[in-house]
Amino acid sequence: MEFDLSWPVLWNGLFWPLIRLTFFISVGLLVGNLIESLQWTRYAAKLADPLARRARLGDISAASFTMAFFSGITANTMLSEAHEKGEISDRELILSNLFNSLPTYFLHLPTIFFIAAPFIGSAAAVYVGLTAFAAIIRTMAIVFSGKFLLPPIKEGCLPCRLDEMEKKRDTKSALQKTWARFKKRLPKVLYLTCPIYTLFFVFKQIGMFAWLQGFMSGSASFFTFLPPEALGIVVFHMAAEFTAGLAAAGAMISDTSLTQTQVILALMLGNVLSSPMRAFRHQFPYYAGIFRPRMAFKLILYNQVTRGLTIALVGTAYALLMT
């Protein structure tokens, strides 16, 4: 088994991605700590407060939901800081992270659409619309679940905290507090993130992820409700990247081998089957740097289970509607 340790491989596969990851985590930590120190979370929370209150989530969770439209790292940092200070419980942390699936999806929605549109044309709008609808269902499910899994929150809690904002803030003190917390937190983040990312790089080099992708690709043969040509899209989606599945889908639409409905269902199936491993591979290193490793694993697991179930539900409803 060959293990390539040449400089281009190390730079492109390990050092540069780790530098970028560290940079964005550092920015997320700084921004998250600054927002909390200046109490801007109270304003951000006000935007999502009505929906969060229905889910019995506090103002930190509501603020994190708002921030997730701009930065997932900052949103997760806010939750992690609140959890470490005992402001939110394990259960509220998990539900808040799941609650953020909607803004997190919409953060990447334009990129997904403009990548898909050149390959599959009008089918891109349907595919993106269905996956967005699945994200909305996940958020509504969390709102419903929060009513039974979390204790009631105090009425008027958020307005009371917002009233405190009228008092004069010491900006210099807030900046000093932000920098002190950043210097304390960043080494802990790097202590976990760097070794984990390096381990995943080694796994990739020895072919573990390629083997897992090939193993999962074989499961596509069980889905006989799709024609063989559509299964090819699923396999490309799983064995390579999203763009490879789109390229295969575009070719099959062009030569009329498959209908638009079949292409969309194949892409959604590939999405469900390929996402768990990719999410663990790409998200766990940075999640483990923000949250405790055990909690990071649980958050990714819960996210992938709910994501897979809602996409499968929407895909099934779409298939039944189009038949």
Side-chain angles (χ1 to χ4, degrees):
M1 182 180 298
E2 295 185 2
F3 191 76
D4 192 350
L5 291 178
S6 63
W7 174 249
V9 172
L10 287 173
W11 174 255
N12 294 319
L14 179 60
F15 296 134
W16 177 240
L18 195 53
I19 290 171
R20 291 178 66 250
L21 182 63
T22 302
F23 171 76
F24 285 114
I25 289 178
S26 300
V27 172
L29 283 172
L30 269 175
V31 173
N33 286 333
L34 181 62
I35 289 173
E36 179 64 22
S37 297
L38 293 174
Q39 295 184 323
W40 290 347
T41 54
R42 315 307 177 216
Y43 289 130
K46 192 172 184 179
L47 299 176
D49 184 53
L51 189 61
R53 282 187 173 277
R54 290 182 178 273
R56 293 185 173 179
L57 296 171
D59 56 332
I60 292 294
S61 300
S64 174
F65 180 86
T66 304
M67 289 296 109
F69 280 101
F70 308 98
S71 171
I73 291 178
T74 301
N76 282 325
T77 299
M78 293 168 63
L79 293 178
S80 177
E81 291 284 340
H83 181 251
E84 289 190 1
K85 290 188 290 185
E87 295 179 0
I88 59 176
S89 63
D90 286 4
R91 184 173 292 179
E92 185 172 354
L93 171 62
I94 292 171
L95 289 178
S96 297
N97 183 262
L98 293 172
F99 186 59
N100 289 349
S101 63
L102 181 63
T104 300
Y105 179 85
F106 276 94
L107 179 63
H108 301 290
L109 186 147
T111 301
I112 295 173
F113 175 77
F114 285 110
I115 288 176
F119 288 102
I120 57 177
S122 60
V126 179
Y127 173 76
V128 170
L130 290 173
T131 53
F133 184 55
I136 293 173
I137 292 177
R138 288 196 295 277
T139 299
M140 294 300 102
I142 295 305
V143 171
F144 181 78
S145 300
K147 293 183 177 181
F148 299 96
L149 298 176
L150 296 176
I153 58 177
K154 296 179 181 179
E155 292 297 327
C157 174
L158 183 61
C160 288
R161 295 197 181 194
L162 286 173
D163 289 341
E164 296 175 0
M165 292 292 296
E166 300 302 323
K167 299 178 181 180
K168 184 177 180 181
R169 291 188 300 268
D170 185 350
T171 304
K172 182 179 179 180
S173 176
L175 292 174
Q176 291 174 342
K177 180 181 178 182
T178 297
W179 183 245
R181 291 170 64 185
F182 173 76
K183 289 192 297 182
K184 181 180 178 181
R185 186 70 188 277
L186 185 61
K188 295 180 180 179
V189 170
L190 298 181
Y191 178 76
L192 290 170
T193 300
C194 293
I196 291 173
Y197 199 97
T198 302
L199 181 64
F200 275 54
F201 169 77
V202 173
F203 284 165
K204 181 180 179 181
Q205 284 295 304
I206 65 177
M208 178 174 289
F209 291 119
W211 177 81
L212 285 172
Q213 286 175 335
F215 176 78
M216 293 178 66
S217 297
S219 64
S221 60
F222 291 101
F223 300 95
T224 55
F225 60 88
L226 289 173
E229 295 87 352
L231 291 179
I233 298 175
V234 178
V235 171
F236 271 108
H237 200 310
M238 296 172 63
E241 294 291 338
F242 178 51
T243 306
L246 289 173
M252 293 179 186
I253 285 180
S254 298
D255 65 11
T256 67
S257 299
L258 297 173
T259 65
Q260 175 175 293
T261 300
Q262 291 171 332
V263 165
I264 292 170
L265 290 175
L267 288 172
M268 295 186 74
L269 178 59
N271 189 324
V272 171
L273 295 178
S274 64
S275 290
M277 189 194 70
R278 287 179 186 162
F280 185 77
R281 173 182 170 185
H282 295 293
Q283 291 183 358
F284 187 73
Y286 108 76
Y287 258 59
I290 296 176
F291 305 100
R292 293 186 176 91
R294 184 178 178 182
M295 178 58 71
F297 179 81
K298 289 171 66 174
L299 291 174
I300 293 175
L301 178 63
Y302 289 137
N303 267 286
Q304 290 306 308
V305 169
T306 55
R307 185 177 183 277
L309 288 175
T310 52
I311 291 179
L313 176 65
V314 171
T316 301
Y318 174 72
L320 294 174
L321 184 64
M322 299 304 293
T323 55

